[in-house]
Amino acid sequence: MSDTHARTVAFSRDTMLPPVPPPVRETGAVRWLRENLLGGPLNVALTVLSLVAIWWALSGFLPWAWRGIWDASSLTECRARRDELYGPGVPAACWAIIAERWPQLVFGFYPQSGYWRPPVALAVFLVAVMPVLFPSLPRRMLWLLPPAPFVIYWLLWGGSLWGPATVAAGFALGWGVWLLARRGGAGAGLALAAGVAAAALWWWWIAGPLAGTLARGVPLALQPVLSKDMGGFTLSFVIGLSAIVLSLPLGVLLALARRSEMPIISTVAVVYIEIIRGVPLIVWLFTAQLLLNYFLPRGTNFDLMLRVIIMVTLFAAAYLAEVIRGGLAALPKGQFEAADALGLGYWQSMRLVVLPQALKISIPGIVNTFIGLFKDTTLVAFIGMFDPIGLTGSIRATTAWNGIYWEPYVFIAIVFFVVCYAMSRYSIWLERRLEREHRPAT
């Protein structure tokens, strides 16, 4: 070292110091509070105002909810027990209405002997979709998905097992004919037509008589349940989950149709999407309830729940189409050109290259549409179906519970919040997982 450098530098370290943890105020809860709640005068003021508002809201609600009465058979008895425990006029929730009427809020007018069937049907649905929602599960579990809708239908509506089984056999026959036609060198359109024709002939000529014969020989049946007997959260889950499952593939097809270079297909998709999105869902529900009967043949019995599921599915598909179209528009043009350079056909490029990336981009919008769709199932109360909101009105109109107000609505809000929050958290988990999987190596 030169003399000049020795005179200007007091000390020069020639070894590395071991790493040390950051200061306490730069990590953990202290850092989060400083950055999110106390990061400047404006944030401090907003934090104080928020705490005051939260305290004002909860200071009345929490004591009211905590002093709840769970053991009573009427509102009058509930108030008498409140006066006995806490004194006259003290605010106290009457949770006894939930304790007494929760089967009705959950199952509607479903037969009491069959209360086990809707939960089992929900469990079958969740097990069937698990391999789709969580790709880490064994892919062999995907074989549980095709039979699940028919098992769920049999559990919910009952009747003979052989009816749904023969309908499922028609789908299997159509798929087998399509597969054989493709292996025989037939074009995609011809193979699809052959599969559809085989399934239609099976359902028209064979399924009914075969189901009747099997039902007489091996009577596997559950007590039949009419759609009008379903209500409460069972009704909301049936309509919501059916529409969610059916609207996503339809929304993908509509998004691709709207971006199609064929004018007729593109125009039809645009007209459909704009008409559906331009009219409130409640109007379409009234259409499903009233106007649709005028366009059906005389004497046709078209189940109201099926009509509602179809209408809600078509409504949600229009919104999903726009969400997915935004994801397609966000992809760089090079992705489409790369698929063409690989020699992939249109459907191959969409399935293998374009749609996986577009759906990843669209995850927040898709889940947001699903959450809104599930909450919109409460609108069926306006067309005479007994969802939780409709049943609450019926319960409150009885002599025993006439005058109660907040308690059933709080219970319904909690259940909807739990379901919607679960969907939101899954969306966040899926986004983070896909981000880690596609993060470039450094």
Side-chain angles (χ1 to χ4, degrees), residues 48-206:
V48 172
L49 291 176
S50 300
L51 291 175
V52 171
I54 293 172
W55 171 255
W56 176 81
L58 296 182
S59 61
F61 174 79
L62 291 180
W64 170 81
W66 182 258
R67 290 192 293 261
I69 306 299
W70 289 91
D71 185 15
S73 59
S74 66
L75 181 59
T76 303
E77 183 179 348
C78 195
R79 288 173 175 170
R81 291 184 60 83
R82 177 205 62 185
D83 295 343
E84 178 184 349
L85 293 174
Y86 307 111
V90 175
C94 186
W95 299 119
I97 186 175
I98 307 301
E100 182 178 338
R101 295 299 185 98
W102 72 265
Q104 190 173 358
L105 289 172
V106 174
F107 301 107
F109 305 104
Y110 211 85
Q112 188 173 359
S113 60
Y115 278 175
W116 62 272
R117 287 158 56 178
V120 172
L122 179 60
V124 170
F125 172 81
L126 293 177
V127 171
V129 300
M130 280 296 177
V132 179
L133 300 178
F134 302 99
S136 59
L137 294 176
R139 308 311 291 169
R140 293 189 299 272
M141 291 182 63
L142 287 172
W143 287 104
L144 299 174
L145 192 59
F150 306 98
V151 176
I152 292 171
Y153 175 86
W154 179 60
L155 286 171
L156 291 175
W157 278 271
S160 175
L161 172 63
W162 301 113
T166 52
V167 173
F171 283 102
L173 176 65
W175 178 77
V177 170
W178 173 84
L179 191 62
L180 290 175
R182 291 293 290 165
R183 290 182 176 178
L190 181 60
L192 180 62
V196 172
L201 290 174
W202 169 272
W203 292 326
W204 185 264
W205 295 104
I206 302 176

Side-chain angles (χ1 to χ4, degrees), residues 116-382:
W116 62 272
R117 287 158 56 178
V120 172
L122 179 60
V124 170
F125 172 81
L126 293 177
V127 171
V129 300
M130 280 296 177
V132 179
L133 300 178
F134 302 99
S136 59
L137 294 176
R139 308 311 291 169
R140 293 189 299 272
M141 291 182 63
L142 287 172
W143 287 104
L144 299 174
L145 192 59
F150 306 98
V151 176
I152 292 171
Y153 175 86
W154 179 60
L155 286 171
L156 291 175
W157 278 271
S160 175
L161 172 63
W162 301 113
T166 52
V167 173
F171 283 102
L173 176 65
W175 178 77
V177 170
W178 173 84
L179 191 62
L180 290 175
R182 291 293 290 165
R183 290 182 176 178
L190 181 60
L192 180 62
V196 172
L201 290 174
W202 169 272
W203 292 326
W204 185 264
W205 295 104
I206 302 176
L210 179 60
T213 302
L214 292 174
R216 289 189 295 269
V218 186
L220 297 176
L222 294 173
Q223 178 185 355
V225 178
L226 300 177
S227 296
K228 65 182 182 65
D229 294 331
M230 295 186 191
F233 286 105
T234 297
L235 180 67
S236 296
F237 275 94
V238 170
I239 296 176
L241 294 180
S242 300
I244 285 173
V245 171
L246 297 174
S247 63
L248 182 57
L250 182 57
V252 172
L253 293 177
L254 284 171
L256 296 178
R258 181 158 188 170
R259 290 176 56 89
S260 174
E261 296 179 356
M262 291 183 279
I264 295 179
I265 294 178
S266 177
T267 302
V268 170
V270 169
V271 171
Y272 169 82
I273 291 172
E274 296 304 327
I275 290 178
I276 293 294
R277 292 170 64 223
V279 178
L281 177 58
I282 187 64
V283 176
W284 293 119
L285 292 178
F286 278 116
T287 301
Q289 180 196 23
L290 302 173
L291 300 182
L292 194 59
N293 287 333
Y294 292 104
F295 300 97
L296 296 175
R298 184 181 297 274
T300 301
N301 184 17
F302 197 5
D303 188 78
L304 178 58
M305 182 182 291
L306 181 58
R307 281 181 272 165
V308 169
I309 290 175
I310 293 174
M311 196 60 69
V312 174
T313 298
L314 297 177
F315 184 84
Y319 281 85
L320 286 173
E322 290 300 282
V323 172
I324 297 169
R325 186 171 71 92
L328 292 170
L331 287 182
K333 188 177 180 181
Q335 297 295 318
F336 298 88
E337 296 173 348
D340 294 337
L342 291 173
L344 300 177
Y346 176 79
W347 291 110
Q348 287 179 318
S349 63
M350 289 297 161
R351 180 171 61 90
L352 300 174
V353 178
V354 176
L355 279 179
Q357 300 180 71
L359 292 176
K360 174 190 171 184
I361 297 172
S362 307
I363 286 175
I366 291 174
V367 175
N368 183 62
T369 304
F370 287 164
I371 291 175
L373 171 61
F374 182 70
K375 292 187 295 184
D376 285 343
T377 57
T378 56
L379 294 176
V380 299
F382 292 99

Side-chain angles (χ1 to χ4, degrees), residues 375-416:
K375 292 187 295 184
D376 285 343
T377 57
T378 56
L379 294 176
V380 299
F382 292 99
I383 60 173
M385 301 183 76
F386 290 97
D387 74 310
I389 302 296
L391 282 173
T392 298
S394 301
I395 294 172
R396 292 176 58 240
T398 60
T399 304
W401 299 107
N402 188 14
I404 201 166
Y405 190 78
W406 287 107
E407 290 82 348
Y409 292 116
V410 170
F411 173 72
I412 294 171
I414 291 174
V415 175
F416 272 97

